[in-house]
Amino acid sequence: MKRFFIILSVMCAASCSVNPFLKEWTGEGGIPPFSEIKYSDYVPAVKAGIEQQEAEIHAIVNNPAAPTFVNTVAAYELSGEILGRTLGVLFNLSESDATDEMMAVIEEVTPIVTEHENNIFMNPGFFQRVKAVYESADTLDREEYMVTKKLYNKFIGNGIALDEASQARFREINTRLAVLSQKFGNNLLAENNAFKEAIGIPVSSYPYFMTTCEDRAKREAAFKAYSSRGNNGNENDNKAVLLEIMKLRTEKAAMLGFDCSADCILEDKMAHDHATVDAFLSRIMEKAVAKAREEVTDMQVFMNKDVEAGLLPEGSRIEPWDWWFYAEKVRKAQYALDESEVSQYFQLDNVRSGVFQAAERLYGIKIEPADIPVYHPEVKAFKVTDADGSLLSWFMTDYLPRSTKRGGAWMTNFREQYVDASGNDVRPIVVNVCNFTQPGDSVGLLTIDEVSTAFHEFGHALHGMLSKCRFKDVSGTSVARDFVETFSQINENWAFQPEILSTYAYHYKTGEVIPDSLVAKINKASRFNQGFMTAELTAASILDMKWHELAKDTDWSNFDVAAFEKKVCEEMGLIDEIIPRYRSTYFNHIFNSGYNAGYYSYLWAEVLDKDAFEYWESKGLYNPKVASKFRKTFLEKGGSEEPMVLYHEFRGADPDPDALIRARGL
C-alpha cells in the first residue's frame, strides 16, 4: 500500500491539476466533470487505478487475519475506486460518442484492463480467501452470500482451477476476445454509417422507411444494404471476426469442462443449459411461424391489388422487403390505424414526460430537471427523489442518433448504487441511450415502437435508480441476464394505458389530447403482426444459441457463415419472407454486448413480465400496494437474492409459460 501512495502522490503532483480522474469529484452528486476530461487523461488514470487496486488486493491477500466476508469480499467490493470511475466514463462514452480519438483510447486500454482482470481472477491467494468465505455460507446473510457466490464463480469461470499452462492460454484468449469484440462493434458502427450514406437514412429509421416507402426497388435496396452489414467483403467485414470469437469461446468452454460455450455461459442463469433454452424457443417458434403464414396471406391480398392496378408485375409475391410496407396496409384496413397519424401525438419531450409521470404515479417518486454536467449537448439531466425528498438517483437521457453512437437503445450507469466504507448510501448515476429518428425530425415525433422503447429503457433505469443494496456486484441491474429484461419489459405495459396516455400524448400542432377512439385502436392493434415480430426475435435467439452450441472440434478454417445461418433458419422452420432480427455479421448483442447465448433472455423474461402483469392487472393497475410490493421485492433488491425466490415472493406462484403466448395473441 505504501508504495502505491508514494507513486500516486508523485503522479498527483505532476498531473492532478489536469487529470480529473485522479481528483475527488466535488460537484453536486459527484457527477463526472465531463468538460474537464481530455482523451489524454484516460490511459494515465487507468494505469493509476490498476496500481491502486493491485495494492488493495495485495493487502487483502496478505492480511494475517483469517478470511471473513468483511476483510475479503467486502474489501474487494470497495477496491478500485479510481479505476471504477475512469472506466465508468470511458466505456459509456465509447458507446455513445465513439470518435476516432476515443476508439484509439479504447484500443490501448482494452488489453491493459483485461490483463488486470486476469491477474485478479487468477490470483490463487485471493481465491483461497474467497473460497474460505464461500464455504462458510452459514455465517452470511443473503446479500453477503449472493455477492460471495458471484465473486467465487468469477474465479471458477476464469480458470482458477486450471494448471499453469492452461491459465496462460486462458489469459491469451481473454485478451484476444476483448480486442475482437471491440473490433466487431467498430466495424458495425462503420457499416451503419455506410448504410446511411448509401440509403440516405440512419439505421434507426429503417423500420419507418420500410413501412412508408412506396418505391419497391428502393425498399429492396434498403433491405439488402441493411441485411448485409458486416458482410460486404471490405475492411469492415465481420465474418472472420465473429468466427475467431466463436473459436475462442468454444475453446474456453472446453477448457472449463463444457461441451459447448452455451452451457458454460448458462450455468448460472435461470435457464441453466442449452437444452432448456432450445425447447423453450422451439415452442414459441412453431406458434410464431404459423401466425406469420396467416399474415403473409393477408398481405398478399393487398399486393395482388397493386398487381391488378398495374403497379407491380404479374406474379409478384411478398418478399422480405415488402413485409413492413404491406403489413401497414393490412393494419390500416383491419384496425383503421395509421402510424403517421398516431405519431403526431408522440412528441419526444412529451413522451419522456409521460415515461416519468407513469413512474411517479406508480412508485411515488419525483423526477425534475437538474443542472449538472452532461457529456453531450443533446443529453438532458434529471434529479430523481423519493416521496420523502431523499435522493434516489441522477438520471440522463441521450435520445438522438449520432454518427459516433452505436445503434440500438440501452441503459447504463456512470456509477452504481452501493454503501461505502463509511456507511453512506452512494446513489447511482443512470443513463438511457437511444437512437430515435422518426417522421418529422424537426418536431421529434416517435413511432409506436419508439414509445415502447422509451418505456422499456426507463424500466431498466428504475431498476438501477431504486436499488437499495449494500454491494455494487448485486445492486441495480446486476442480476441474471435472463432475469434483467423482466423489469424493462413490464414497464412497457403502461405506455399505452389511457390514464398514462392522457398525461403525454398531445398533438404536436393543436395540443389536443389523443382521442379515446385512437387509443382504442392502438390497444386493439397491439397484437397485430405478432407472427412476424415474434418469429424474427425468436429466430435471432435460436441463431445465437446455435452459434454457441458449436463444439471445439468445429472446422473453423472452412466454416461458411452464410451457409450455417441458412441451415439454422431452415431447421427452425423460418419462412422465406422473414429473416432473423439480427443476422450474424451485425449481431452486436452476442458478439460485443455480453448477450452471447443470452438473446433468448428477452422472451424468457417476457414470460415473467406478462405473468406478473396479469397478476398486477387483476389487483388494479395503479394499486399502490402492488406497486410498492413490486418496488421493494424487485427494484430495490437487485441481485441480492435468487431470481425465482424474488418472483415467488411477489407473485406467490410459478410463472405461467403460456402468459407470453396469450399476450402476443399466438
Side-chain angles (χ1 to χ4, degrees):
M1 290 291 285
K2 182 176 179 181
R3 177 175 174 270
F4 167 70
F5 286 124
I6 291 173
I7 292 172
L8 184 57
S9 297
V10 173
M11 290 183 68
C12 283
S15 63
C16 272
S17 61
V18 295
N19 192 328
F21 294 112
L22 302 181
K23 299 188 297 184
E24 183 180 357
W25 294 341
T26 56
E28 185 175 14
I31 307 296
F34 296 108
S35 63
E36 300 177 18
I37 297 170
K38 301 186 297 295
Y39 293 118
S40 59
D41 293 328
Y42 288 108
V43 174
V46 166
K47 290 180 177 178
I50 288 173
E51 186 85 19
Q52 179 192 48
Q53 192 168 35
E54 284 178 343
E56 290 166 335
I57 290 173
H58 179 79
I60 293 171
V61 173
N62 290 282
N63 188 337
T68 65
F69 179 84
V70 172
N71 70 20
T72 301
V73 179
Y76 170 72
E77 280 281 313
L78 293 171
S79 70
E81 181 182 358
I82 293 173
L83 185 62
R85 67 174 177 240
T86 304
L87 296 181
V89 174
L90 174 60
F91 287 150
N92 284 326
L93 296 194
S94 70
E95 297 288 294
S96 56
D97 198 20
T99 62
D100 291 342
E101 295 90 342
M102 180 62 81
M103 290 300 95
V105 172
I106 285 290
E107 287 179 13
E108 183 173 357
V109 163
T110 297
I112 298 173
V113 172
T114 303
E115 181 63 17
H116 174 58
E117 291 175 349
N118 285 336
N119 290 339
I120 293 174
F121 296 109
M122 289 184 181
N123 184 322
F126 188 18
F127 174 66
Q128 288 305 317
R129 291 186 68 90
V130 171
K131 183 170 182 273
V133 177
Y134 180 64
E135 290 175 346
S136 61
D138 57 338
T139 67
L140 308 176
D141 65 30
R142 285 303 294 173
E143 184 170 347
E144 290 171 347
Y145 171 74
M146 292 298 290
V147 173
T148 304
K149 176 186 175 185
K150 195 169 185 178
L151 183 58
Y152 176 84
N153 286 340
K154 283 183 182 178
F155 279 98
I156 299 300
N158 210 51
I160 190 66
L162 300 176
D163 59 41
E164 188 175 339
S166 297
Q167 284 193 2
R169 175 58 183 156
F170 218 83
R171 285 175 179 269
E172 292 174 359
I173 292 174
N174 286 344
T175 300
R176 182 60 180 160
L177 280 173
V179 172
L180 288 167
S181 294
Q182 190 64 43
K183 182 173 177 55
F184 187 97
N186 292 348
N187 286 349
L188 181 54
L189 179 60
E191 288 285 275
N192 288 346
N193 289 333
F195 172 87
K196 181 178 180 181
E197 184 175 346
I199 304 301
I201 60 167
V203 166
S204 56
S205 291
Y206 176 76
Y208 182 75
F209 176 84
M210 298 298 281
T211 300
T212 59
C213 180
E214 297 276 352
D215 189 325
R216 193 185 192 204
K218 288 183 178 179
R219 293 200 307 271
E220 181 178 0
F223 168 80
K224 289 180 176 178
Y226 182 89
S227 62
S228 64
R229 287 173 296 150
N231 186 27
N232 292 305
N234 57 18
E235 65 274 15
N236 299 317
D237 196 286
N238 267 331
K239 292 192 293 296
V241 179
L242 73 87
L243 285 176
E244 188 177 355
I245 288 173
M246 287 313 310
K247 178 182 178 182
L248 294 175
R249 285 178 180 172
T250 54
E251 183 180 350
K252 272 184 70 172
M255 292 173 72
L256 293 173
F258 293 92
D259 293 333
C260 63
S261 58
D263 285 348
C264 180
I265 293 164
L266 292 169
E267 186 182 32
D268 62 348
K269 307 302 184 293
M270 294 181 74
H272 192 263
D273 58 63
H274 78 270
T276 300
V277 177
D278 288 346
F280 170 73
L281 294 174
S282 178
R283 182 169 180 270
I284 297 172
M285 193 66 179
E286 181 180 355
K287 291 181 177 295
V289 168
K291 188 70 172 179
R293 291 185 189 279
E294 297 175 10
E295 293 166 356
V296 172
T297 300
D298 291 341
M299 290 187 293
Q300 189 64 49
V301 171
F302 286 86
M303 177 173 272
N304 290 344
K305 291 179 180 179
D306 286 347
V307 171
E308 292 169 7
L311 300 175
L312 294 174
E314 287 290 334
S316 294
R317 308 298 298 174
I318 295 293
E319 299 286 353
W321 48 87
D322 296 314
W323 196 294
W324 293 89
F325 183 76
Y326 282 98
E328 182 65 9
K329 287 181 178 291
V330 175
R331 177 160 63 173
K332 286 179 181 179
Q334 292 185 354
Y335 301 97
L337 183 66
D338 185 341
E339 179 82 73
S340 61
E341 177 190 2
V342 174
S343 69
Q344 295 177 55
Y345 292 90
F346 294 149
Q347 194 165 7
L348 177 57
D349 289 343
N350 292 342
V351 171
R352 175 169 41 215
S353 176
V355 169
F356 290 173
Q357 289 183 71
E360 289 175 335
R361 180 171 181 175
L362 288 170
Y363 305 115
I365 62 179
K366 183 177 181 181
I367 307 169
E368 54 191 343
D371 184 17
I372 58 174
V374 293
Y375 59 87
H376 192 279
E378 293 171 349
V379 174
K380 307 297 183 185
F382 303 88
K383 182 179 183 179
V384 185
T385 53
D386 213 340
D388 62 2
S390 60
L391 177 69
L392 286 171
S393 177
W394 301 97
F395 178 61
M396 301 179 192
T397 61
D398 183 0
Y399 281 159
L400 302 178
R402 295 185 290 274
S403 62
T404 55
K405 183 193 286 188
R406 75 168 172 87
W410 63 94
M411 167 269 186
T412 187
N413 291 66
F414 282 106
R415 181 179 67 216
E416 294 86 1
Q417 179 269 328
Y418 69 102
V419 175
D420 68 18
S422 300
N424 300 309
D425 183 7
V426 179
R427 300 312 302 173
I429 304 169
V430 178
V431 191
N432 274 172
V433 185
C434 300
N435 282 271
F436 293 148
T437 53
Q438 55 286 326
D441 284 339
S442 60
V443 292
L445 302 180
L446 303 189
T447 65
I448 293 172
D449 285 345
E450 287 173 327
V451 172
S452 294
T453 297
F455 275 82
H456 177 103
E457 295 306 332
F458 196 69
H460 283 308
L462 286 168
H463 200 188
M465 294 190 294
L466 300 183
S467 177
K468 288 191 176 180
C469 296
R470 307 199 311 271
F471 306 102
K472 293 178 186 178
D473 231 14
V474 295
S475 75
T477 57
S478 297
V479 303
R481 189 174 51 206
D482 48 9
F483 191 47
V484 72
E485 296 297 336
T486 304
F487 313 103
S488 54
Q489 291 177 177
I490 203 166
N491 203 54
E492 293 181 42
N493 290 290
W494 275 269
F496 303 111
Q497 297 298 331
E499 300 91 334
I500 300 302
L501 278 167
S502 67
T503 70
Y504 75 87
Y506 305 105
H507 195 280
Y508 79 102
K509 287 184 178 178
T510 67
E512 172 197 12
V513 177
I514 191 168
D516 292 342
S517 59
L518 196 52
V519 174
K521 290 178 183 178
I522 292 172
N523 286 309
K524 186 178 179 182
S526 63
R527 293 181 176 179
F528 173 71
N529 205 34
Q530 280 300 314
F532 170 81
M533 300 296 287
T534 308
E536 65 157 9
L537 174 59
T538 309
S541 303
I542 293 172
L543 179 61
D544 168 31
M545 290 305 300
K546 295 309 173 186
W547 274 116
H548 291 91
E549 288 169 16
L550 293 171
K552 184 185 176 183
D553 60 2
T554 299
D555 183 2
W556 300 104
S557 60
N558 295 303
F559 201 99
D560 187 324
V561 173
F564 173 76
E565 199 172 273
K566 184 173 185 289
K567 181 173 181 287
V568 169
C569 289
E570 288 173 351
E571 290 176 347
M572 72 174 75
L574 187 64
I575 59 178
D576 293 339
E577 295 87 349
I578 301 176
I579 65 170
R581 179 171 295 183
Y582 299 101
R583 299 184 72 178
S584 303
T585 55
Y586 54 90
F587 208 158
N588 200 65
H589 281 78
I590 69 170
F591 292 117
N592 185 42
S593 294
Y595 271 69
N596 35 312
Y599 196 67
Y600 77 92
S601 300
Y602 291 93
L603 289 164
W604 184 276
E606 191 173 340
V607 171
L608 307 179
D609 144 42
K610 297 308 180 189
D611 182 70
F613 184 70
E614 286 180 355
Y615 165 77
W616 197 326
E617 197 171 26
S618 72
K619 302 294 184 181
L621 284 180
Y622 304 101
N623 185 321
K625 291 184 178 179
V626 179
S628 176
K629 185 179 182 181
F630 186 83
R631 174 179 173 174
K632 293 181 184 301
T633 305
F634 292 126
L635 302 181
E636 293 183 358
K637 289 189 177 180
S640 63
E641 181 54 276
E642 297 289 354
M644 285 309 297
V645 172
L646 295 178
Y647 195 83
H648 283 140
E649 186 178 329
F650 174 75
R651 182 68 176 84
D654 286 335
D656 179 356
D658 287 333
L660 179 149
I661 303 297
R662 289 193 297 272
R664 287 182 174 251
L666 302 177

